[in-house]
Amino acid sequence: IALAVLALAVPGNRTVQTEPAAPADFAAEGDLVATLASADGLLILGRPCALELTLENRGEAWAEIPEAVSSGLGLSAPGLRLSGGLATGKRVALGPGWKVTLPVALPGEGDAAAFTPLDVAWSLPGWTAASVTLDVLPDLSDATADIETTAGTMSARLFFDQAPRTVANFVRLAEDGFYGDTLFHRVIPGFMIQGGDPNSKDDDPANDGSGGPEWTVPAEFGAAPHVRGTLSMARNGDQVFGPLRQVLPNVLVQIFGLILCIRIVDSDT
């Protein structure tokens, strides 16, 4: 873990006291609360992952941050090689009602497995334990897709930085053969085509459009507009997003790519 303290800011423009005069009383266990947070809940393999460790003194007496914080922070992240530390070389204490937030960087390198949640934990005597679960994804920044059909091949660029979970889910399913032999079950000329549903491989057209894998991915709405060639993932139906349809017309789909070219099979029809 590589840590850097940019500023130990506390309410009222006070600063955390370093090397304090020994207080008469220190906060009791249970008053010292730690939380670990991630802005997006993601660890992309090969990229640093930014976390925040917040230490808060809810008691009425001083609280000393243990010296162990300077040599590893008590953090554990199975499968990742951790290194570094706070390394201030000083004792640090928090006054009553004070808290400090420390930026923490996971290196994103090691044996963590893609698509397997990673539990990162912080624990030191006297403080409440803190943890956060991260979704682990491969780095698919350069990923593209060739969608082969009986009419030709569509080549697409995927927007991993805008919709990482959606792109990773699409690539994972494609590599597993999920979309093989599926049909474009919905075609609206001049508007859109929809496909990829495994239900379209059976003889019952009534169930087309209702299939999918056993999991879902959260929304990742970004700034990409819907233009000709946009590649989108269908989302949950009106029972979830119906009230938003009037103000957010694109809420039922998740943009995650753009068709760059289409190679049409020669045909006389």
Side-chain angles (χ1 to χ4, degrees):
I1 299 293
L3 287 188
V5 178
L6 303 180
L8 303 184
V10 293
N13 295 321
R14 296 172 292 181
T15 57
V16 173
Q17 182 173 342
T18 59
E19 297 184 359
D25 298 304
F26 276 86
E29 186 171 349
D31 292 333
L32 308 181
V33 179
T35 56
L36 197 59
S38 166
D40 57 11
L42 278 179
L43 172 69
I44 298 174
L45 294 174
R47 295 190 191 181
C49 173
L51 303 177
E52 287 189 342
L53 174 66
T54 299
L55 304 177
E56 181 178 4
N57 178 5
R58 297 181 180 177
E60 298 180 357
W62 282 86
E64 183 173 3
I65 299 177
E67 184 179 352
V69 172
S70 299
S71 58
L73 284 163
L75 275 163
S76 65
L80 293 184
R81 294 189 295 272
L82 309 180
S83 62
L86 187 57
T88 63
K90 299 180 179 181
R91 295 172 64 212
V92 178
L94 298 179
W98 292 13
K99 66 179 178 180
V100 57
T101 297
L102 308 174
V104 180
L106 293 177
E109 299 175 353
D111 298 323
F115 305 113
T116 301
L118 175 70
D119 293 320
V120 182
W122 184 90
S123 178
L124 283 179
W127 293 80
T128 61
S131 64
V132 64
T133 300
L134 304 175
D135 292 333
V136 181
L137 300 179
D139 189 345
L140 298 172
S141 301
D142 299 324
T144 59
D146 286 334
I147 304 171
E148 297 179 354
T149 77
T150 54
T153 299
M154 296 178 283
S155 296
R157 175 168 59 92
L158 304 180
F159 299 155
F160 181 69
D161 287 337
Q162 296 184 33
R165 286 182 172 90
T166 306
V167 168
N169 183 63
F170 174 76
V171 171
R172 179 187 184 185
L173 291 173
E175 290 181 342
D176 288 345
F178 182 86
Y179 300 115
D181 297 323
T182 59
L183 302 177
F184 287 103
H185 62 272
R186 187 181 182 205
V187 179
I188 304 177
F191 177 49
M192 55 87 77
I193 58 175
Q194 185 174 355
D197 183 355
N199 286 351
S200 67
K201 293 188 284 187
D202 63 24
D203 296 327
D204 181 10
N207 65 13
D208 293 356
S210 60
E214 297 178 354
W215 61 85
T216 60
V217 294
E220 296 176 300
F221 298 121
H226 259 107
V227 296
R228 185 178 178 88
T230 296
L231 192 61
S232 302
M233 186 77 69
R235 293 190 48 78
N236 287 330
D238 286 348
Q239 70 274 18
V240 177
F241 293 105
L244 296 177
R245 180 189 285 272
Q246 299 303 316
V247 292
L248 296 173
N250 291 338
V251 76
L252 296 184
V253 294
Q254 170 66 63
I255 296 174
F256 70 97
L258 181 68
I259 301 296
L260 299 180
C261 69
I262 301 177
R263 296 182 290 278
I264 305 296
V265 174
D266 290 338
S267 174
D268 295 330
T269 61

